[in-house]
Structures are given as structure tokens and as C-alpha cells.
Amino acid sequence: KGFICNRIKSKTGLIADRAAPIGTIILSSPWVTDFQFEFRGTAAHAATPEKGTNALSLALNTLSEIPVGRVDSDTTINIGIISGGTGTNTVPDLVTARGEVRSFSKDSQEKWVSKINATSSHLYCPGYTYLQSDTFVKEIIDLHAQLDIKPDLVTALGASDANFLNSQGIKVINIGYGAENTHTTSERISVSSLTDLASLLVKYIVC
């Protein structure tokens, strides 16, 4: 995000950052907003809980009202980190919870962020959507066809550098790079996928 985009002369580009078969073309990627809650209570010894206010109880009351998972056709909400407390014999006086909202729809994303009403939130990355009729998309489809690679046009709830670059006025499309079992000890990519990916990128640069 700190990159100075006006140093880039090109106004279009490809990014191979989707763990999907070669030929995958991402037409839509989500808006992602991170949020955080801070619940503050009063510490006390566990033997005298009535002298304190349990921050975890406050957290549970609020978090139980927030829907998680797929909340509409465009949007998912997740609360992924909950932390707090200093010991098993102490009523916790601070609990934090961190999560995210991601959506193909900016309006839906903003609506849910507003409903959640967290202590703080910030836009992690902007989303983008291309129509299949877009001239640039047609160029990328044709690029695949020239190499006898069948294009597969999809939407993906994952984000990439393409999100940021598109927000800066540089038309960038994310494509699959052929990896399998990503983020595991079995992650791999075939030689044929690497060869096809290299051919795609070289063809794009040369054209």
C-alpha cells in the first residue's frame, strides 16, 4: 500500500496470485474491512467475582448478536481472534475481539460494518468488479485462447495486490497460477502449470 503508483507507466496488468488452475480469471474481488472490539470490565479475584465486572461476559453479550459466516449472497463476516485475561484466578478486565467483513458489494460491506458498530474498523483493501464485456477482459480471454488455454471466469472472495492497483486507476486482473494444497506441507505446482503460466505472462508482455 505504500508503493508510489505514479511510478508505474502501464495502465493495465496481470497478477498471478490465485491458487487455482491455469486459465482462471478473477472478474470480481471483495472489499475487506477489519474491525476490533474492546470490552473493559473491572478485575477482581476469582474467589470474589462480585467485586469485579467480567469483560468476557460483556464480550459474549455483544458478539452473540453478530451473525458470522455468509450473511448474504455477497458478504461474509468472521470473528477470528478473541483474547483477554491474565490468569485463571482473575476476573478479566479486558477482552478484545478481531474480525472482518468482506463483500463483493461496497454498499453491503458498509451496511454490515455499520451494523456491527465495533470499537474501531478500517478498510483493509478495496474491491473491484469487471464485466465479461470489458475490453481488457476480452483481451485476457483472447490471450488464453491464443495459447489453447481454456479461460474460466470466476469471482473470488480472496484479495490480492490487484485490489489496491485497481483502486489507483491501474486496470489489473488476477489470474490462477496453478498451485495446489496451498498453505500446507503438501503445497505444489506442476511443471506444466509453471510452463503455461510463463507462456501467458510472456505473451502478455510481448503483445
Side-chain angles (χ1 to χ4, degrees), residues 5 23 107:
C5 289
D107 289 343

Side-chain angles (χ1 to χ4, degrees), residues 6-191:
N6 59 17
R7 292 179 178 175
I8 301 176
K9 295 180 179 180
S10 177
K11 295 303 178 185
T12 62
L14 287 181
I15 287 179
D17 193 24
R18 178 65 179 173
I22 301 296
T24 304
I25 300 172
I26 309 301
L27 292 184
S28 186
S29 185
W31 298 78
V32 182
T33 293
D34 292 334
F35 61 82
Q36 177 169 310
F37 283 96
E38 292 186 0
F39 302 95
R40 296 187 178 274
T42 304
H45 195 281
T48 56
E50 63 278 357
K51 294 183 178 180
T53 301
N54 195 313
L56 179 59
S57 296
L58 301 177
L60 292 175
N61 288 338
T62 297
L63 299 180
S64 64
E65 298 296 320
I66 299 175
V68 293
R70 192 171 303 280
V71 295
D72 62 40
S73 60
D74 291 320
T75 311
T76 63
I77 297 175
N78 185 59
I79 297 174
I81 301 175
I82 300 175
S83 58
T86 57
T88 58
N89 65 342
T90 306
V91 174
D93 62 348
L94 174 64
V95 169
T96 62
R98 294 166 56 191
E100 64 162 37
V101 179
R102 60 178 62 207
S103 181
F104 292 122
S105 165
K106 182 181 180 181
D107 289 343
S108 181
Q109 183 238 23
E110 291 177 345
K111 178 190 74 174
W112 283 105
V113 170
S114 178
K115 282 186 175 182
I116 290 171
N117 192 28
T119 306
S120 63
S121 63
H122 74 276
L123 181 66
Y124 174 75
C125 72
Y128 69 87
T129 296
Y130 286 106
L131 298 177
Q132 189 171 341
S133 59
D134 186 282
T135 301
F136 184 44
V137 173
K138 289 182 177 179
E139 291 176 3
I140 302 306
I141 292 173
D142 183 61
L143 182 71
H144 284 71
Q146 291 177 45
L147 296 171
D148 295 321
I149 298 173
K150 183 179 179 181
D152 182 20
L153 279 62
V154 303
T155 61
L157 273 171
S160 71
D161 288 339
N163 291 63
F164 172 70
L165 291 170
N166 275 292
S167 74
Q168 300 301 304
I170 303 172
K171 298 187 71 170
V172 174
I173 289 179
N174 190 15
I175 60 174
Y177 62 94
E180 302 174 59
N181 307 319
T182 52
H183 303 297
T184 73
T185 55
S186 300
E187 183 170 348
R188 63 183 184 181
I189 180 170
S190 67
V191 173

